[in-house]
Amino acid sequence: MLKSDDVLWRYLDAARFFDFIHNQTLFFCRGDHFQDRFEGAFTESLKHAIERSYQVNKIEFTYEEFRRRLRERVFVNCWHKGSDDSMAMWSLYGGSSCSVALTTTAGQLRTSLKEQQLPYDIAIEKVEYVKHWRDPNLDIAPYSRVFAYKTKAYEYEKEVRVLIDRFADGFESQMPEGGMPVKVAHQTLLRSVVIAPEAPAWFDTLIREASVRYGIVAPVRRSKLATDPV
């Protein structure tokens, strides 16, 4: 269960950080643009249930077509849940010593999205890690919740996802290619800005000065992993 005060981290390289503070947007990746082949995957039982439903209702639509179109209509924004930063996440998603993490809480994230009054169904989900090939029982009501499940191989990510469900737009509607930016107010969203532990001094100064220039009111600090041991 995700609590309002749970701390969430989003690790960004320098370019993505400056895009965030300049445009005040979070990027939501379209569901069919993830590299993991199990993203948006159904289990064997669910696949057969969907196929039977189409047959019973005499709907001329295949399971493969349904899955493809669903993946095109769900947009995902990813966070890491943890009270402290993770060296693995710095390496994987920061990408270099010149990187930054945004921190928020589940409550702040929810509020910042509500402020935008978006005309879509939005959910914040704590990812559950499963073995799809063992045919586990998945809760996929609505269908977009299939993106709240990932394979056990990614369990170390401790991921929380924001899901934008545009399934109601209809199968014939055109979706943005790749993904969609969503406006958020950094005053509402941000709990803090954390600079990578191995960042050079000039990058530390750059981030602090840029944060002042763009009116970031949340504290800007260096990762605690940069602290010299006693």
Side-chain angles (χ1 to χ4, degrees):
M1 180 71 68
L2 195 63
K3 297 180 291 185
S4 291
D5 60 352
D6 282 338
V7 179
L8 308 178
W9 297 71
R10 184 163 171 81
Y11 295 83
L12 305 171
D13 60 26
R16 288 184 173 87
F17 173 70
F18 283 107
D19 178 72
F20 167 75
I21 61 173
H22 179 72
N23 295 306
Q24 293 198 58
T25 57
L26 291 175
F27 182 74
F28 283 70
C29 181
R30 207 170 84 172
D32 60 342
H33 281 250
F34 287 102
Q35 292 183 345
D36 176 16
R37 64 191 302 173
F38 283 95
E39 285 286 359
F42 292 91
T43 61
E44 195 71 20
S45 295
L46 289 170
K47 174 186 175 182
H48 294 323
I50 292 168
E51 289 174 332
R52 283 195 301 272
S53 176
Y54 284 154
Q55 290 171 358
V56 169
N57 293 286
K58 298 180 179 180
I59 299 173
E60 294 183 3
F61 213 71
T62 65
Y63 162 78
E64 287 74 18
E65 182 71 5
F66 164 76
R67 181 170 178 262
R68 180 181 70 80
R69 296 200 183 191
L70 173 67
R71 285 159 58 84
E72 292 173 352
R73 285 158 176 75
V74 180
F75 296 81
V76 184
N77 180 255
C78 307
W79 296 75
H80 168 80
K81 179 179 174 292
S83 55
D84 299 300
D85 53 334
S86 161
M87 204 66 212
M89 295 297 105
W90 281 119
S91 299
L92 283 170
Y93 296 105
S96 75
S97 58
C98 294
S99 54
V100 173
L102 311 178
T103 80
T104 187
T105 64
Q108 285 175 275
L109 180 57
R110 188 174 290 110
T111 299
S112 66
L113 291 166
K114 281 184 178 179
E115 286 178 347
Q116 303 308 310
Q117 299 182 329
L118 297 169
Y120 313 118
D121 291 328
I122 301 176
I124 300 177
E125 301 280 0
K126 183 179 177 182
V127 171
E128 184 176 343
Y129 299 92
V130 299
K131 296 179 180 179
H132 292 78
W133 49 90
R134 291 191 176 177
D135 203 15
N137 184 28
L138 306 185
D139 174 11
I140 56 164
Y143 284 124
S144 57
R145 281 205 83 255
V146 75
F147 283 92
Y149 297 95
K150 293 185 70 172
T151 62
K152 282 278 189 180
Y154 291 92
E155 197 165 15
Y156 65 91
E157 291 182 337
K158 300 178 181 177
E159 192 172 345
V160 170
R161 290 183 153 185
V162 187
L163 306 178
I164 290 181
D165 185 346
R166 297 187 59 176
F167 200 57
D169 290 1
F171 278 165
E172 303 309 317
S173 58
Q174 292 295 314
M175 293 291 114
E177 182 62 38
M180 54 185 285
V182 172
K183 280 280 187 182
V184 289
H186 57 64
Q187 294 91 340
T188 305
L189 176 70
L190 289 180
R191 172 181 175 268
S192 66
V193 174
V194 182
I195 302 167
E198 297 176 350
W202 64 264
F203 184 74
D204 186 300
T205 301
L206 176 64
I207 295 301
R208 293 177 190 274
E209 290 179 350
S211 297
V212 172
R213 189 176 307 118
Y214 280 94
I216 301 294
V217 295
V220 179
R221 64 174 178 84
R222 191 67 171 263
S223 167
K224 292 177 182 177
L225 296 173
T227 305
D228 289 329
V230 176

